[in-house]
Amino acid sequence: MSTATYTVKGMTCGHCVSSVKEEVGEVPGVTAVEVDLASGSLTIQSDAPVDASRIEAAVAEAGYEVVTP
């Protein structure tokens, strides 16, 4: 089991959260997705580590951007 946390920029409502959860949830290997609108936090759980570029691409597909540290 692997857990990773990202910060997503641009979400403003519940629909935004749903869009991000749906797209990220379709990434192969992802088993759970949690999104916190207030903080912009995106936490994923997976059986094995998932390449960050796949998560960033899924977030971009939803119309948002992952903030890189």
Side-chain angles (χ1 to χ4, degrees):
M1 179 72 73
S2 178
T3 301
T5 302
Y6 303 86
T7 301
V8 178
K9 181 170 74 171
M11 296 187 299
T12 58
C13 64
H15 178 72
C16 301
V17 169
S18 295
S19 296
V20 170
K21 285 177 93 169
E22 182 179 338
E23 291 294 336
V24 173
E26 292 177 2
V27 174
V30 172
T31 58
V33 180
E34 290 297 323
V35 179
D36 181 60
L37 179 60
S39 67
S41 174
L42 163 66
T43 303
I44 65 158
Q45 291 185 352
S46 54
D47 295 326
V50 174
D51 190 324
S53 65
R54 287 180 172 238
I55 302 302
E56 291 170 10
V59 170
E61 183 67 28
Y64 306 99
E65 180 182 352
V66 171
V67 179
T68 52

